[in-house]
Amino acid sequence: MGDRPKRPLSSYMIFLNGQREQIKRENPGIKITEIAKRGGELWRALEDKSQWHEQAAEAKERYTKLMMEFEVNGGSKDAPVSRKRKMGSKSSVVALTT
């Protein structure tokens, strides 16, 4: 049966994951909460968000297919989502773009 698929990231979270390192480079010692705040400011300032909306839509399609497979194989919508990460795994943003 396997683990239930994780929900897809929103377009904002895909954007933020791509910007996080740059924000940290530009603001050494910045707190995590401040990274999110700065990311929100950058997101609001964007005029064209279509790139991230498309990536989020693709991720949602993949998630929907994975959930259908999961349910066909005996999984339940109420099953807990696995929170385990493999050592050395790349972030979900990388997985979304490949």
Side-chain angles (χ1 to χ4, degrees), residues 4-16:
R4 179 177 169 208
K6 291 184 180 183
R7 287 184 17 209
L9 295 175
S10 68
S11 49
Y12 167 69
M13 288 305 297
I14 293 170
F15 167 80
L16 182 60

Side-chain angles (χ1 to χ4, degrees), residues 1-2 6 8 19 23 32 35-36 40 48 75 81 83 88-89 91:
M1 177 169 50
K6 291 184 180 183
Q19 296 294 310
I23 293 169
I32 292 173
I35 292 171
D48 183 17
V81 176
R83 303 232 183 257
S89 67
S91 72

Side-chain angles (χ1 to χ4, degrees), residues 6-65:
K6 291 184 180 183
R7 287 184 17 209
L9 295 175
S10 68
S11 49
Y12 167 69
M13 288 305 297
I14 293 170
F15 167 80
L16 182 60
N17 284 343
Q19 296 294 310
R20 186 173 282 117
E21 289 304 316
Q22 181 179 345
I23 293 169
K24 287 175 17 180
R25 273 193 308 272
E26 292 173 356
N27 304 280
I30 191 171
K31 295 180 182 179
I32 292 173
T33 54
E34 294 297 316
I35 292 171
K37 184 177 178 180
R38 179 66 183 134
E41 292 168 356
L42 293 171
W43 178 252
R44 283 187 296 278
L46 280 177
E47 290 184 21
D48 183 17
K49 300 175 184 175
S50 60
Q51 170 187 351
W52 295 280
H53 290 312
E54 289 173 18
Q55 289 180 18
E58 291 169 5
K60 185 172 183 176
E61 286 178 29
R62 280 192 301 275
Y63 170 76
T64 301
K65 289 177 185 176

